[in-house]
Amino acid sequence: MEENKVLEKLSWITQSKLAPQPVTQEYKEQIYRFFENYVHFLQDNGFTTKEILRKGEKATDESQITIGDLTEQGFKFYAFGILKWIAKYDRAKDKDKAIGDFSFIEKELKEFRERHGG
């Protein structure tokens, strides 16, 4: 796979024509906080090849995840769990609550490890 291929870049979301218009700072901050949460989840569980975001570092429109940022297991987990978590967040009525709700992704991680080891 192409190591530098970008899987996700926040500007794709915050500058999308599908984003709620007008795009508010509050909307952007929610997107940034959710990205920070799942990047730290990936990092904390050993799914990254490097530190994508340092502790306390804030996401921006330029924040991104590339294939090379993820271990082989991390790439599989991104597809298995993170994309489902993003879809669940997108459907949530209370975005602020959904941002900090790790129960879904913890269950996904448990299931992933049972199926794939590690």
Side-chain angles (χ1 to χ4, degrees):
M1 277 189 272
E2 200 178 317
E3 296 278 309
N4 294 327
K5 182 173 168 96
V6 177
L7 295 173
E8 179 177 353
K9 186 169 183 170
L10 290 185
S11 64
W12 295 348
I13 300 165
T14 60
Q15 296 174 21
S16 167
K17 289 181 173 42
L18 300 175
Q21 299 298 323
V23 173
T24 63
Q25 191 59 33
E26 179 185 12
Y27 172 79
K28 284 179 143 187
E29 303 237 344
Q30 287 174 331
I31 298 298
Y32 297 161
R33 283 196 329 268
F34 187 55
F35 179 84
E36 291 162 9
N37 281 353
Y38 61 82
V39 163
H40 287 294
F41 189 85
L42 288 166
Q43 290 176 175
D44 293 348
N45 285 284
F47 289 130
T48 59
T49 59
K50 68 175 198 171
E51 193 173 41
I52 299 168
L53 284 176
R54 292 181 307 280
K55 190 173 178 77
E57 182 181 358
K58 299 293 183 194
T60 68
D61 272 4
E62 298 308 307
S63 299
Q64 64 183 24
I65 299 173
T66 66
I67 289 175
D69 292 339
L70 302 174
T71 64
E72 186 178 332
Q73 285 289 86
F75 183 74
K76 289 178 184 173
F77 184 71
Y78 181 85
F80 180 88
I82 298 296
L83 291 179
K84 286 192 233 173
W85 195 20
I86 293 168
K88 186 177 188 321
Y89 168 79
D90 287 344
R91 291 188 309 270
K93 298 218 184 310
D94 184 345
K95 300 287 191 208
D96 284 323
K97 183 179 177 197
I99 288 168
D101 182 3
F102 286 82
S103 59
F104 174 81
I105 199 62
E106 293 285 354
K107 284 186 223 157
E108 291 296 310
L109 178 61
K110 185 176 187 287
E111 184 179 333
F112 179 81
R113 291 211 160 126
E114 287 168 0
R115 286 189 191 180
H116 302 282

